């Protein structure tokens, strides 16, 4: 894909580049702000209906600046039929038939997308980035997928694909009460979690995100991993100050 297909602000080769990687959808690579080759990576997963060419890459470039060279990869979700939009095809990581804690998960869709994320992680490892310096997270449905990647069993009911990561973050995200995230093998090196939510979120209720965190935190603690929660007063369904704060959390883990 050529840069001429991108919105104007993404055409600057000093800030962004576009890649296609095997069967993955197009990727926007937010080049490190700090000088030198990157020795750490963030894979940022967008919300439902968005893509890598929306406003997030610019916002991430501005808000997630760190003093160490970190590459941020922003993949586009597969194009699939989405029940919450009347079955219309949109870019989503998995299907949803309802929104709320009592919802039923799209197991196959989450597994497929977790494997796409895992392919990206493996490419970073092959590039020489240590696994414990790779962070996976996202906004809304992207944060939900990150939780699946880090904490749900893989397709063979083995350890999560994201075991050993440097950390995971979820902004304005939740998983249903019966989610696979809470089940399956939890042995091994589970990554620490940073999670946040606005208490005025009109799409993903704050209480859903908090319920997810409250169930995950003791599981992670029993495995030696920490879990951090932040509530943003008066914030709706938006990343807001979370991007700067999660960047600080990542920088602390990399120190």
């Amino acid at each position: 894909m050529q840069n001429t297909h991108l919105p104007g602000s993404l055409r600057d080769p000093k800030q962004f580049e576009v890649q296609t990687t095997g069967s993955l959808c197009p990727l926007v690579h937010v080049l490190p702000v700090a000088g030198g080759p990157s020795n750490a990576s963030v894979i940022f997963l967008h919300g439902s209906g968005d893509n890598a060419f929306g406003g997030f890459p610019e916002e991430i470039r501005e808000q997630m600046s760190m003093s160490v060279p970190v590459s941020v990869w922003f993949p586009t979700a597969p194009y699939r039929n989405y029940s919450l939009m009347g079955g219309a095809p949109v870019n989503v990581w998995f299907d949803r038939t309802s929104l709320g804690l009592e919802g039923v998960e799209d197991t196959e869709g989450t597994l497929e997308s977790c494997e796409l994320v895992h392919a990206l992680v493996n490419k970073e490892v092959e590039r020489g980035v240590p696994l414990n310096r790779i962070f996976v997270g996202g906004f809304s449905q992207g944060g939900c997928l990150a939780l699946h990647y880090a904490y749900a069993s893989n397709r063979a009911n083995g350890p999560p694909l994201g075991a050993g990561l440097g950390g995971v973050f979820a902004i304005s995200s939740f998983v249903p009460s019966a989610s696979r995230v809470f089940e399956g093998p939890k042995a091994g090196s589970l990554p620490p979690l940073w999670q946040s939510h606005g208490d005025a979120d009109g799409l993903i209720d704050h209480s859903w995100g908090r319920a997810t965190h409250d169930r995950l935190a003791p599981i992670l603690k029993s495995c030696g991993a920490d879990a951090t929660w932040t509530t943003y007063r008066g914030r709706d369904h938006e990343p807001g100050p979370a991007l700067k704060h999660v960047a600080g959390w990542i920088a602390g883990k990399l120190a």
Side-chain angles (χ1 to χ4, degrees), residues 118-136:
H118 199 53
L120 269 179
V121 169
N122 283 340
K123 285 191 173 293
E124 289 301 276
V125 171
E126 290 169 5
R127 191 170 66 84
V129 180
L131 182 60
N132 65 359
R133 293 178 67 83
I134 298 175
F135 296 78
V136 174

Side-chain angles (χ1 to χ4, degrees), residues 21-220:
T21 308
S23 61
L24 290 173
C25 291
L27 304 164
V28 170
H29 180 199
V30 184
L31 301 176
V33 174
S38 63
N39 59 4
S41 301
V42 174
I43 296 172
F44 196 108
L45 308 172
H46 63 73
S48 57
D50 206 346
N51 58 63
F53 310 110
F56 262 127
E58 292 94 339
E59 193 169 1
I60 289 170
R61 173 86 180 175
E62 294 171 1
Q63 301 295 327
M64 292 188 71
S65 298
M66 286 177 261
S67 58
V68 293
V70 177
S71 285
V72 182
W73 293 93
F74 201 83
T76 295
Y79 204 53
R80 66 176 84 216
N81 297 333
Y82 193 43
S83 296
L84 291 186
M85 294 189 69
V90 291
N91 294 111
V92 287
W93 300 109
F94 50 85
D95 191 24
R96 275 176 169 151
T97 56
S98 63
L99 201 59
L101 292 177
E102 303 309 312
V104 178
E105 289 185 326
D106 171 15
T107 300
E108 184 58 28
T110 55
L111 286 170
E112 287 176 357
S113 288
C114 282
E115 288 161 357
L116 291 178
V117 172
H118 199 53
L120 269 179
V121 169
N122 283 340
K123 285 191 173 293
E124 289 301 276
V125 171
E126 290 169 5
R127 191 170 66 84
V129 180
L131 182 60
N132 65 359
R133 293 178 67 83
I134 298 175
F135 296 78
V136 174
F139 173 71
S140 195
Q141 193 188 66
C144 175
L145 183 67
L147 296 177
H148 274 270
Y149 180 69
Y151 306 126
S153 303
N154 64 29
R155 190 180 292 276
N157 203 35
L161 291 175
L165 288 172
V168 171
F169 59 93
I171 303 169
S172 301
S173 306
F174 82 104
V175 295
S177 298
S179 174
R180 294 177 61 254
V181 167
F182 306 121
E183 302 172 355
K186 291 294 184 281
S189 181
L190 293 186
L193 169 66
W194 189 94
Q195 193 174 352
S196 71
H197 216 113
D199 66 0
D201 194 322
L203 180 64
I204 306 297
D205 195 271
H206 174 269
S207 65
W208 303 348
R210 185 72 215 214
T212 296
H213 185 86
D214 287 349
R215 285 190 65 187
L216 267 176
I219 295 173
L220 298 186

